[in-house]
């Protein structure tokens, strides 16, 4: 098309900037607006997708990442799987983790680079479509680079799926327009769908472009289009086969409208949602990290103004499309506009809930690709206005509009970038849009910050609006346990969580431990069994469910071990290892516990095998347990190496120092034992086990006077312990402080009338006092 004349009476928008700098300007603008995202942390969905995802952390094989697991690290074949298969994105996360660990700024940096590339590709596409001046194309691409609706895709690290899928789609479209190649386009489509499911729309978009811009009579067209359609069918079949041809199932909280019993309500609401999304793009004033639950009220009547608006919008859109189709073959402008409408609407079809239910009511990051078409269409509108109002004054008004809209959008986007910096700021920004979800998430944030009163307030606010939030009840239970040690209140909260979700493994586990603490052992073991036997195949967080079950088996084993049911404990510990797999966080502790149980039942050979396995995991307690075992076996010559190793692992641990002192005592190395006891007490002067050890050692070596000081210290720390009084009485007895010793024995017997040792020592003391009196 012909370019408008440059001059004082017909200025071309942004024409004073040389075209060779346009791409650089777009990149700089995108980088500037989103620069603060480099200071952001992992937030919201980044946690399950990255921080706890075994596929990202290298705890699973590359094969499982590529063939069996979904985007969140759960087996994709399970009923509760999200069914999202995005191995290209997960692999990029894993490679970054290998290269630099969990440095959030570098993860955000890759997202920003993707957005910069996409912004430049928008400029290229706008120019290739040839419906506006290059200066206006620059405006469209800058508008995309700073559009607030793109903030979620850029600032949320998991938004890389949308960034990557869009990048492959734009690369495919721009290369197809300039130099068509069927194999390359199909390859890009594969990369796009491996980034996100919406990438499947690339092939239909290319076919749409060919139908609009190419003659259907040419040999090349008749060859390429069937190839595209066959490739589309094959890709769809392969992608669905990964899901076992199953649709994902989502909870009522994620998509409550899909669970509404009224087909009328579902239909009217889902017909309104595309209009809602369009409004988010056109007027991105109110944005939210989450639009689930009741953030968008249902449309329940055809008289609802939102349904009336939907009818008006759909009617207008169909009228525009009909008008464009009437003469599209003879009008390049009509062809481009039809293609842009396809680019605007097609990506939304898959996530609209109209074809199949998805895991959300509305979401901002799914609009990233749609915004490309929107920004180019806005540029086209500016171009039409520029031609119609061609005087200098009118063009100044157009330029002012351009500057104003870019300024407003940039400011709003930078605000959203700041919102996405931390979870606290993100969740606070949504209090007016989705108060239930925001309050619940803020409760979690304030719990991690140990602001327990604030956390409790937000959990209670969430439950006021929705009383069946199992996670909120569960987190309240944890909160109460941490902040006030109110066992009965915590038990109540865990029970409420289980009423809302009966297969909540973590709630069963925590409730069982509390019930055991208050003496309700039978109920405790009942909940542990519930935790172990509840299937998590219908849960989104299946891997977390598995980890919790393994932890449950470990804790059940510990309780059985305390009850001296060693054979059953061994079987339960082995179950924990089987469920937890090789990356179970308590593996070394479980191995050590199995070794301890075998040692208790006299199977020393098996005990040593498990202690050595735990030692191979550098488990500190296993070194100590093995050392004590070898001392009992009169193999003291093997102990020194074990103690030296444990000192390198935990040189400042008071427990380690106390155990080393005890080992040296059993080997009759009294000076070394005394040295380590004193070192332990220099770390923690009130460590009771070390005080007991050094007091006993000094008593054994007849340093009664100094021993008395340590027994007195124990009594100050544990004034209500009968054994502390009894031991203090014994050392006073030895130091011939008979009156004080008698008083200590009497107190011990008041606290525990069944203390036979204290009673016997008291009787000896009475005989001494009688002889002394007689004398």
């Amino acid at each position: 098309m012909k370019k408008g004349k440059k001059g004082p009476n017909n200025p071309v928008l942004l024409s004073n900037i040389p075209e060779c700098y346009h791409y650089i300007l777009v990149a700089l603008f995108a980088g500037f607006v989103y620069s603060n995202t480099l200071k952001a942390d992992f937030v919201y969905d980044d946690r399950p997708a990255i921080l706890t995802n075994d596929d990202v952390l290298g705890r699973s094989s590359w094969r499982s990442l590529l063939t069996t697991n979904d985007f969140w690290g759960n087996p994709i074949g399970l009923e509760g799987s999200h069914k999202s298969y995005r191995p290209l994105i997960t692999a990029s996360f894993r490679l970054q983790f290998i290269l630099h660990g969990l440095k959030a700024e570098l993860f955000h940096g890759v997202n920003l680079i993707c957005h910069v590339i996409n912004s430049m590709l928008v400029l290229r596409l706008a120019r290739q479509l040839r419906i506006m001046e290059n200066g206006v194309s620059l405006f469209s691409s800058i508008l995309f680079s700073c559009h607030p609706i793109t903030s979620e895709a850029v600032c949320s690290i998991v938004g890389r799926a949308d960034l990557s899928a869009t990048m492959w789609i734009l690369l495919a479209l721009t290369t197809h327009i300039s130099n068509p190649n069927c194999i390359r386009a199909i390859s890009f489509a594969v990369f796009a769908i491996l980034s996100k499911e919406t990438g499947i729309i690339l092939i239909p978009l290319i076919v749409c472009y060919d139908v609009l811009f190419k003659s259907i009579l040419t040999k090349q067209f008749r060859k390429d289009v069937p190839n595209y359609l066959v490739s589309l069918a094959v890709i769809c079949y392969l992608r669905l086969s990964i899901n076992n041809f199953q649709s994902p199932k989502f909870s009522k909280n994620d998509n409550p409208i899909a669970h509404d019993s009224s087909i009328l309500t579902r239909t009217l609401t889902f017909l309104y949602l595309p209009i809602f999304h369009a409004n988010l793009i056109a007027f991105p004033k109110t944005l939210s990290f989450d639009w689930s639950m009741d953030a968008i009220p249902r449309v329940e009547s055809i008289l609802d103004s939102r349904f009336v608006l939907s009818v008006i919008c759909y009617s207008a859109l169909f009228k525009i499309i009909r008008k464009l189709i009437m003469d599209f073959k003879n009008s390049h402008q009509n062809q481009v506009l039809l293609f842009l409408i396809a680019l605007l609407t097609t990506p939304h079809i898959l996530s609209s809930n109209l074809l199949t239910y998805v895991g959300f009511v509305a979401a901002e990051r799914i609009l990233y690709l749609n915004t490309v078409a929107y920004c180019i269409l806005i540029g086209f509108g500016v171009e039409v206005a520029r031609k119609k109002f061609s005087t200098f004054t009118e063009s100044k008004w157009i330029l002012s509009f351009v500057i104003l809209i870019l300024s407003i959008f940039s400011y709003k986007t930078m605000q959203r970038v700041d919102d996405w910096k931390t979870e606290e700021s993100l969740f606070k920004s949504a209090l007016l849009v989705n108060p239930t979800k925001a309050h619940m998430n803020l409760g979690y944030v304030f719990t991690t910050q140990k602001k327990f009163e604030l956390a409790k307030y937000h959990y209670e606010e969430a439950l006021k609006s929705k009383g069946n939030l199992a996670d909120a009840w569960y987190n309240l239970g944890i909160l109460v346990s941490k902040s006030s040690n109110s066992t009965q209140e915590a038990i109540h909260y865990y029970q409420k969580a289980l009423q809302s979700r009966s297969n909540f493994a973590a709630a069963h586990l925590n409730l069982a431990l509390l019930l055991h603490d208050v003496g309700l052992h039978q109920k405790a073991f009942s909940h542990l069994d519930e935790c172990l036997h509840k299937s998590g195949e219908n849960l989104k967080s299946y891997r977390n469910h598995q980890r919790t079950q393994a932890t449950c088996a470990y804790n059940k084993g510990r309780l059985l071990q305390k009850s001296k049911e060693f054979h059953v404990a061994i079987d339960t510990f082995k179950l924990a290892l089987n469920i937890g797999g090789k990356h179970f966080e308590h593996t070394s502790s479980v191995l050590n516990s199995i070794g301890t149980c075998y040692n208790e039942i006299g199977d020393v050979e098996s005990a040593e095998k498990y202690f050595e396995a735990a030692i191979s995991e550098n488990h500190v307690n296993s070194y100590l347990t093995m050392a004590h075992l070898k001392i009992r076996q009169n193999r003291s010559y093997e102990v020194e190496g074990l103690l030296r190793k444990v000192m390198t692992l935990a040189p400042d641990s008071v427990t380690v120092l106390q155990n080393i002192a005890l080992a040296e005592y059993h080997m009759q190395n009294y000076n070394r034992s005394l040295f380590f006891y004193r070192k332990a007490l220099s770390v923690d002067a009130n460590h009771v086990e070390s005080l007991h050890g050094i007091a006993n050692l000094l008593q054994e070596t007849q340093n009664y006077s100094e021993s008395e000081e340590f027994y007195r210290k124990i009594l100050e720390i544990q004034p209500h312990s009968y054994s502390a009084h009894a031991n203090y009485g014994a050392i006073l007895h030895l130091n011939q402080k008979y009156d004080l010793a008698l008083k200590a024995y009497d107190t011990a017997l008041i606290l525990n009338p069944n203390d036979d040792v204290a009673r016997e020592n008291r009787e000896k003391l009475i005989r001494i006092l009688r002889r002394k009196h007689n004398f």
Side-chain angles (χ1 to χ4, degrees), residues 93-133:
F93 292 157
R94 183 161 178 163
L95 286 172
Q96 282 196 259
F97 175 74
I98 292 169
L99 291 173
H100 55 69
L102 293 172
K103 292 184 178 179
E105 64 272 18
L106 296 180
F107 279 91
H108 284 291
V110 172
N111 274 31
L112 179 53
I113 290 170
C114 290
H115 180 60
V116 168
I117 293 171
N118 286 337
S119 299
M120 292 190 291
L121 287 171
V122 172
L123 174 59
R124 184 182 181 191
L125 178 63
R127 285 184 173 181
Q128 287 178 321
L129 293 176
R130 296 182 295 112
I131 58 168
M132 63 185 81
E133 290 284 348

Side-chain angles (χ1 to χ4, degrees), residues 388-546:
K388 185 174 181 180
F389 307 107
S390 56
T391 68
F392 182 78
T393 302
E394 290 168 338
S395 294
K396 281 180 66 178
W397 280 107
I398 296 171
L399 184 59
S400 298
F401 164 77
V402 166
I403 294 171
L404 179 64
I405 193 171
L406 290 179
S407 300
I408 292 172
F409 275 27
S410 297
Y411 177 73
K412 177 64 177 177
T413 299
M414 288 190 282
Q415 275 189 324
R416 286 302 287 166
V417 171
D418 286 339
D419 287 340
W420 278 90
K421 272 188 182 179
T422 66
E423 290 189 317
E424 181 178 344
S425 59
L426 178 64
F427 300 146
K428 281 182 176 178
S429 71
L431 279 169
L432 294 177
V433 177
N434 193 348
T436 305
K437 196 70 173 282
H439 278 301
M440 190 167 72
N441 285 303
L442 280 169
Y444 169 78
V445 169
F446 287 126
T447 301
T448 60
Q449 295 175 3
K450 297 185 178 179
K451 298 177 181 178
F452 298 126
E453 288 302 316
L454 263 178
K456 189 173 183 180
Y457 163 77
H458 283 289
Y459 283 134
E460 289 172 346
E461 287 297 307
L463 289 165
K464 281 180 186 177
S465 58
K466 202 169 185 65
N468 64 343
L469 295 172
D471 290 311
W473 288 117
Y474 170 76
N475 288 329
L476 267 176
I478 294 176
L479 177 64
V480 168
S481 298
K482 286 182 177 179
S483 60
S484 63
N485 294 319
S486 178
T487 302
Q488 290 302 324
E489 191 178 359
I491 287 173
H492 169 70
Y493 290 140
Y494 289 135
Q495 288 171 336
K496 292 288 286 184
L498 289 170
Q499 287 174 15
S500 299
R501 192 193 306 162
S502 62
N503 61 349
F504 200 157
H508 279 296
L509 171 58
N510 287 8
L511 178 57
L513 296 177
L514 288 180
L515 290 170
H516 193 275
D517 287 345
V518 298
L520 300 173
H521 296 173
Q522 188 174 352
K523 284 187 176 180
F525 279 104
S526 173
H527 279 286
L528 289 171
D529 290 336
E530 284 282 305
C531 174
L532 287 169
H533 296 129
K534 286 286 185 182
S535 171
E537 293 188 358
N538 62 336
L539 299 174
K540 286 192 299 184
S541 53
Y542 174 72
R543 292 296 188 202
N544 287 337
H545 181 82
Q546 266 193 321

Side-chain angles (χ1 to χ4, degrees), residues 620-655:
V620 170
N621 286 344
S622 298
Y623 281 100
L624 297 172
T625 311
M626 180 71 95
H628 289 297
L629 177 63
K630 290 185 181 296
I631 290 169
R632 289 196 296 274
Q633 295 172 334
N634 295 319
R635 294 160 65 184
S636 300
Y637 55 89
E638 297 180 39
V639 172
E640 186 178 349
L642 294 169
L643 297 182
R644 191 184 305 116
K645 177 64 177 178
V646 81
M647 274 297 292
T648 62
L649 291 173
D652 298 320
S653 167
V654 65
T655 304

Side-chain angles (χ1 to χ4, degrees), residues 764 766-775:
K764 289 179 181 177
I766 292 294
R767 288 196 291 271
I768 291 172
L769 288 172
R770 283 173 179 166
R771 285 198 301 270
K772 184 179 178 183
H773 179 70
N774 289 337
F775 177 77

Side-chain angles (χ1 to χ4, degrees), residues 638-706:
E638 297 180 39
V639 172
E640 186 178 349
L642 294 169
L643 297 182
R644 191 184 305 116
K645 177 64 177 178
V646 81
M647 274 297 292
T648 62
L649 291 173
D652 298 320
S653 167
V654 65
T655 304
V656 166
L657 293 168
Q658 178 257 327
N659 272 276
I660 292 175
L662 183 61
E664 297 289 359
Y665 170 78
H666 287 311
M667 292 187 292
Q668 299 183 353
N669 298 328
Y670 296 135
N671 288 333
R672 285 180 60 78
S673 178
L674 189 61
F675 168 79
F676 282 107
Y677 274 131
R678 293 192 187 281
K679 193 169 182 181
L681 290 170
S682 70
V683 175
D684 181 0
N686 294 327
H687 189 246
V688 174
E689 287 82 1
S690 296
L691 289 168
H692 269 297
I694 195 170
N696 181 63
L697 173 60
L698 291 167
Q699 182 178 330
E700 288 285 323
T701 55
Q702 298 183 353
N703 292 321
Y704 300 137
S705 179
E706 193 177 357

